[in-house]
Amino acid sequence: MLLQMAVCARLCGVGQSRRCRRRQRHSQDQNSDSEVDMDEEEEEERVVGKMKDEPNGSSSSCQNRRGAGPSAAGGLCGSAGSAGPPHPQSLLDLPPELLVQIFSSLPGTALPNLALVCKKFRQILNTETIWRRRCTEEFGMRDDLRKMETVGMSSRDLYVKRVNPQVKSGRFMKLLPDYEHMDYRDVYTHLLHPYRHILGLWQPDIGPYGGLLNVVVDGLFIIGWMYLPPHDPRVEDPMRRRPLFRIHMWEKNKATVECMYGHKGPHKGDIQTVKKDEFSTKCNQTDHHRMPGGRQEEFRTWLEEEWGRTLEDIFHEHMQELILMKFIYTSQYDNCLTYRRIYLPPCLPSDLLQPGLFKGTYGSHGLEIIMLSFHGSKAKATKLTGDPNVPAGQLTLEIDLNRPVRLPDLETQRNMEELSRLVRGVHEEAQGGSQGRDAPAEAAEGAEGSDSAPPAGAEEVEPGEPEPQPFVLPLGVMARNEVYPRTCKMCFYGTGLIAGHGFTSPERTPGLFVLFDADRFGFIWLELKSFSLYSRLSDQLTHAQAPSMQRFEAMLRNMQSWTS
């Protein structure tokens, strides 16, 4: 920054503010050129660029500095009779509107130091256009401060429609802060920049259940949205969102943190940055989380929001126990939560499909969120939300892309024993350390016993769009959602992680990965005789891309250690 300020100072023909005023007093003197240091002229020429020589040989007049008299300024970089405007030799010679455009393209963090160069820069940096552009380009802020109280806005919709529908619009106007006296510089300086480190995706530390938090800029608010899967078993429905906290400008120079948990509206909260890539939220008014009917009313409300049904509608006793256990466990974290940063997986042209986040069915545990990523010849699915058997952060699926499986005809697919023998043959070859792409083909050839269909894996996976093939689940395989695609693109051998309650005796068991299309895939768990269907999250997630593949893989290892 010091170098930047020095360069800007020389561009302007100034030094520190005291010297700047002294130079301005001497600028009326025609002989002030003799006081200019040659080093400053050389630095100025390197940054601004050397003026082009005119045909009449008048380039020697380009050596005149800012501060020369009108007669000298009229002949800068041109002939004596030139009628065109003089060529500026420093930033201070540029018109203010052009300086506004230049300063608007600089990072917001560099602008305070730029204001220290001279008075003119400091005055120009008070222009709202500069800070509005920084808020828009760096943080995606779209709302206009001057129209906040005259047009509909996202923050208004948040409060009226999502938090407290009973509030009338007139009362809402009184609850809003006075945006009329705020400017974009205040918003950038006191809201967006101080809390920039919490934007993006995070995983809350809620034991085995985990979760997915997305912190975004929404109008004049920074909001932490907890993403919830659709109600079981509607895996292709959009995600549900619930605000956990928000940060906004309540006063001109102060940002306020509010907890959004509970059913009494926003109330006082606090955010603390524990360490890099980790922060905590705390509620200062937990009485807002309680309901008049006590724990029973809170449980009924939570059950309807979490599962979309009442306890009487759930007849399976084991499922009732799991639901009650989750309510008791997660209720302990309603006043304080810690979040750890997570990234979206990097995308490579060689990937089988675009990596990202998916929601999938997990039997009695309901729908859970997983992250699909590619690592060479392996595809991995990591849990972002979990359950008491296999907690969040664990590797739920691992697919071997070097071992494709050719499905038999539909009649054979319906036979669970035939399909199991086909996949287990590949599993034995994989466990035996067999090398080469023809190993799955040999196992499949003996399993199918048919001359009409080529052996599994006999053909290499060609790049491009593969031909769809018929698909049906074997008889006896349980599926939470009977509506699944009846054609698939390709299948691969893989393993799935199963464990007892409390993540006891974990083991990887063989299964079949089925790719339906670019946004859906499935997995047949041979040991459990069940089928999981996965559907892609369609939400736009910003500030979430991994800096590098190394950082992403390190994040996956850390996630597993959190719940191991």
Side-chain angles (χ1 to χ4, degrees):
M1 287 302 176
L2 294 177
L3 179 60
Q4 182 183 22
M5 292 172 59
V7 172
C8 289
R10 290 168 178 172
L11 281 170
C12 303
V14 300
Q16 300 298 325
S17 59
R18 185 180 305 172
R19 296 182 62 191
C20 179
R21 291 191 294 269
R22 185 167 67 247
R23 287 174 183 271
Q24 290 176 355
R25 288 197 301 268
H26 289 300
S27 64
Q28 299 176 358
D29 188 356
Q30 295 294 329
N31 298 325
S32 62
D33 294 335
S34 61
E35 298 177 6
V36 178
D37 187 76
M38 291 302 295
D39 292 337
E40 290 186 355
E41 289 185 353
E42 293 173 0
E43 179 70 16
E44 181 177 320
E45 289 176 358
R46 283 197 298 269
V47 180
V48 178
K50 188 176 181 180
M51 297 295 182
K52 295 182 178 180
D53 294 339
E54 294 292 320
N56 58 5
S58 61
S59 61
S60 60
S61 63
C62 290
Q63 298 176 358
N64 293 327
R65 283 186 49 82
R66 175 187 173 273
S71 60
L76 282 176
C77 300
S79 62
S82 175
H87 292 268
Q89 288 193 347
S90 74
L91 286 178
L92 283 177
D93 293 331
L94 298 176
E97 57 270 19
L98 186 55
L99 289 177
V100 168
Q101 293 297 323
I102 295 174
F103 294 166
S104 297
S105 63
L106 298 176
T109 53
L111 299 182
N113 289 325
L114 190 60
L116 301 176
V117 174
C118 63
K119 182 178 179 180
K120 182 175 182 178
F121 281 14
R122 185 166 62 253
Q123 292 174 342
I124 292 177
L125 287 172
N126 289 327
T127 307
E128 279 282 84
T129 306
I130 297 175
W131 295 98
R132 180 177 181 177
R133 180 174 172 183
R134 298 327 311 152
C135 291
T136 300
E137 292 186 359
E138 294 183 26
F139 300 101
M141 181 179 173
R142 300 298 179 188
D143 290 323
D144 189 343
L145 290 181
R146 301 296 167 252
K147 297 180 181 179
M148 276 293 186
E149 308 214 10
T150 59
V151 299
M153 59 178 177
S154 56
S155 51
R156 175 184 178 129
D157 293 338
L158 166 71
Y159 192 93
V160 175
K161 298 179 180 179
R162 304 173 192 165
V163 179
N164 197 347
Q166 289 76 27
V167 175
K168 304 300 180 182
S169 58
R171 182 184 172 193
F172 174 78
M173 301 303 290
K174 297 178 182 179
L175 290 173
L176 280 176
D178 188 5
Y179 295 121
E180 193 66 29
H181 302 290
M182 293 184 186
D183 55 41
Y184 285 95
R185 183 170 189 168
D186 291 333
V187 174
Y188 186 97
T189 305
H190 301 290
L191 176 66
L192 301 181
H193 185 260
Y195 291 98
R196 68 191 185 281
H197 297 302
I198 70 170
L199 298 177
L201 291 181
W202 303 82
Q203 186 178 44
D205 185 6
I206 316 181
Y209 298 103
L212 178 63
L213 179 80
N214 188 24
V215 184
V216 298
V217 176
D218 187 351
L220 282 180
F221 291 76
I222 293 178
I223 304 178
W225 292 104
M226 180 68 84
Y227 276 66
L228 305 173
H231 294 141
D232 183 48
R234 299 193 293 269
V235 68
E236 297 193 32
D237 285 1
M239 295 287 290
R240 299 176 293 126
R241 300 192 305 171
R242 183 174 66 195
L244 290 191
F245 64 86
R246 71 179 185 182
I247 314 169
H248 63 104
M249 296 286 292
W250 188 259
E251 299 175 358
K252 180 177 176 62
N253 297 324
K254 184 180 179 181
T256 300
V257 179
E258 292 179 330
C259 176
M260 307 290 286
Y261 191 83
H263 304 273
K264 296 183 180 179
H267 46 283
K268 292 182 179 180
D270 189 24
I271 289 181
Q272 296 179 349
T273 302
V274 181
K275 55 184 179 181
K276 184 181 179 181
D277 294 336
E278 185 176 320
F279 76 95
S280 297
T281 58
K282 182 180 180 181
C283 176
N284 298 329
Q285 293 178 290
T286 54
D287 56 299
H288 281 64
H289 303 175
R290 308 280 78 87
M291 301 189 73
R295 298 291 280 177
Q296 290 187 354
E297 182 181 359
E298 292 173 12
F299 175 67
R300 287 195 299 268
T301 304
W302 175 87
L303 183 62
E304 185 175 354
E305 292 178 352
E306 188 83 9
W307 292 84
R309 63 183 80 176
T310 63
L311 195 62
E312 291 75 15
D313 297 332
I314 303 174
F315 302 103
H316 198 287
E317 184 177 351
H318 177 60
M319 192 172 181
Q320 291 180 352
E321 294 176 355
L322 292 174
I323 292 174
L324 185 59
M325 184 187 309
K326 183 175 183 179
F327 170 74
I328 295 174
Y329 194 97
T330 55
S331 297
Q332 305 173 23
Y333 295 86
D334 65 346
N335 65 330
C336 186
L337 268 177
T338 299
Y339 304 88
R340 299 183 179 94
R341 182 179 295 279
I342 58 177
Y343 299 110
L344 292 178
C347 182
L348 300 176
S350 58
D351 292 342
L352 182 65
L353 70 159
Q354 182 180 356
L357 305 184
F358 292 77
K359 46 194 182 294
T361 56
Y362 278 85
S364 300
H365 299 293
L367 299 187
E368 298 184 8
I369 306 173
I370 63 101
M371 176 186 292
L372 180 68
S373 57
F374 293 90
H375 311 261
S377 62
K378 300 287 185 181
K380 297 181 180 181
T382 305
K383 280 192 172 187
L384 298 184
T385 61
D387 51 71
N389 291 70
V390 179
Q394 296 300 315
L395 185 63
T396 178
L397 302 178
E398 186 173 25
I399 313 304
D400 190 345
L401 302 179
N402 283 337
R403 299 182 182 276
V405 176
R406 171 89 38 80
L407 290 178
D409 56 78
L410 285 178
E411 192 63 30
T412 308
Q413 287 185 42
R414 291 189 176 94
N415 190 323
M416 181 61 187
E417 293 183 359
E418 291 296 328
L419 184 64
S420 178
R421 184 161 56 242
L422 169 67
V423 177
R424 289 186 185 279
V426 183
H427 178 68
E428 292 175 1
E429 293 289 344
Q431 295 299 311
S434 175
Q435 301 295 326
R437 299 179 65 88
D438 56 342
E442 297 173 1
E445 187 175 6
E448 293 180 38
S450 173
D451 295 332
S452 59
E459 295 182 1
E460 294 187 0
V461 179
E462 296 287 344
E465 192 72 16
E467 290 292 330
Q469 52 184 322
F471 173 80
V472 66
L473 284 176
L475 298 176
V477 172
M478 296 178 295
R480 298 290 294 177
N481 195 334
E482 295 295 338
V483 181
Y484 62 89
R486 291 307 195 268
T487 60
C488 65
K489 290 185 175 181
M490 52 182 60
C491 300
F492 294 89
Y493 157 79
T495 59
L497 181 62
I498 62 175
H501 186 82
F503 198 40
T504 57
S505 305
E507 63 173 321
R508 306 207 66 86
T509 60
L512 183 66
F513 174 87
V514 185
L515 178 62
F516 295 115
D517 51 44
D519 297 321
R520 293 178 297 176
F521 65 87
F523 190 80
I524 300 178
W525 306 74
L526 297 184
E527 186 81 14
L528 304 177
K529 292 185 178 181
S530 66
F531 172 74
S532 293
L533 178 63
Y534 300 85
S535 178
R536 185 185 298 276
L537 269 70
S538 58
D539 303 72
Q540 296 294 326
L541 304 174
T542 58
H543 300 93
Q545 293 300 324
S548 63
M549 192 64 185
Q550 292 76 14
R551 287 282 296 275
F552 177 76
E553 291 179 343
M555 179 207 72
L556 291 183
R557 292 191 296 269
N558 291 333
M559 289 176 63
Q560 294 184 25
S561 65
W562 298 339
T563 54
S564 295

